[in-house]
Amino acid sequence: MKTELQKMLDGELYDASDATLVEMRDKARTLTAQYNLQMGKPLAERNDTLKQLLGACSTIDIQPPFFCDYGSHITAGENFFMNFNCVILDCAQVTIGKNVMCGPYVQIYTAYHPLVAEERIKGPELASPITIGDNVWIGGGAIICPGVTIGNNTTIGAGSVVTKDIPDNVFAAGNPCRVIKQINPDKTEFV
């Protein structure tokens, strides 16, 4: 029989009040609180705490305050930057490539709930993994929804709500987020 953690990571309905999951979230809350109190301290000192919190990380710079559910389901490649007040609900795996930059208030949500009210009020939750490719810029206030993949070399406009996969080498924006234009790597452009 699967544990609630296994169900959660496998994208099945799970009980978030399971003792193991509560303990994991409590540990993450303690580490994020410790991390957020380190605002203004050297990056190397803050990163010691992040390495305890995150599943895997390389050279990263997350500006406090930062919030997550578990931390252990987040992997980030080298040169990852996340600005102030970002949230990652990592009930499923969140894979972030190298050279990814996030503006302030970016929210990455793997968690969701059944649409049918009768099922939802029973309490079980769901989660779907999120993948963000290499060299991605996510503008401030963007929301990345469960199950989404963002391709390499892509820019997501500020305030966008990304509900579907976004391909490589595009500028995408809006609510819902949609491709606005292809990015030409041989031409310098600014958003």
Side-chain angles (χ1 to χ4, degrees):
M1 190 153 127
K2 285 185 175 184
T3 65
E4 296 304 308
L5 174 60
Q6 290 169 318
K7 290 179 195 175
M8 180 178 80
L9 294 173
D10 288 344
E12 300 171 13
L13 284 169
Y14 69 94
D15 179 1
S17 66
D18 172 74
T20 299
L21 296 179
V22 170
E23 183 179 326
M24 290 173 68
R25 284 193 309 273
D26 286 347
K27 178 183 175 192
R29 301 269 188 303
T30 299
L31 286 169
T32 54
Q34 178 183 335
Y35 181 75
N36 291 334
L37 288 173
Q38 295 174 333
M39 187 181 293
K41 295 206 174 175
L43 181 62
E45 188 176 330
R46 292 192 330 254
N47 279 350
D48 287 343
T49 304
L50 281 181
K51 287 179 181 175
Q52 294 175 56
L53 176 65
L54 302 182
C57 59
S58 185
T59 51
I60 57 174
D61 183 358
I62 298 176
Q63 296 295 302
F66 166 70
F67 305 95
C68 65
D69 267 339
Y70 298 94
S72 57
H73 307 130
I74 302 168
T75 60
E78 62 189 40
N79 298 320
F80 173 53
F81 174 79
M82 189 169 246
N83 216 322
F84 303 104
N85 286 303
C86 290
V87 175
I88 301 178
L89 300 185
D90 61 315
C91 303
Q93 187 64 39
V94 175
T95 305
I96 300 167
K98 63 183 180 183
N99 304 313
V100 172
M101 299 173 67
C102 298
Y105 294 95
V106 167
Q107 301 166 64
I108 299 172
Y109 301 150
T110 64
Y112 66 107
H113 303 273
L115 290 176
V116 176
E118 201 171 283
E119 290 301 314
R120 185 173 54 249
I121 60 175
K122 292 178 186 175
E125 300 177 13
L126 294 154
S128 290
I130 291 173
T131 302
I132 299 169
D134 295 337
N135 312 312
V136 171
W137 168 251
I138 301 173
I143 298 172
I144 314 302
C145 292
V148 165
T149 295
I150 297 173
N152 297 322
N153 310 310
T154 286
T155 297
I156 303 297
S160 296
V161 179
V162 185
T163 60
K164 296 189 183 324
D165 292 353
I166 303 294
D168 294 349
N169 303 304
V170 298
F171 170 65
N175 181 3
C177 189
R178 68 190 195 307
V179 173
I180 304 296
K181 68 179 185 173
Q182 196 73 30
I183 295 174
N184 180 347
D186 299 325
K187 183 178 176 185
T188 302
E189 298 181 75
F190 299 92
V191 176

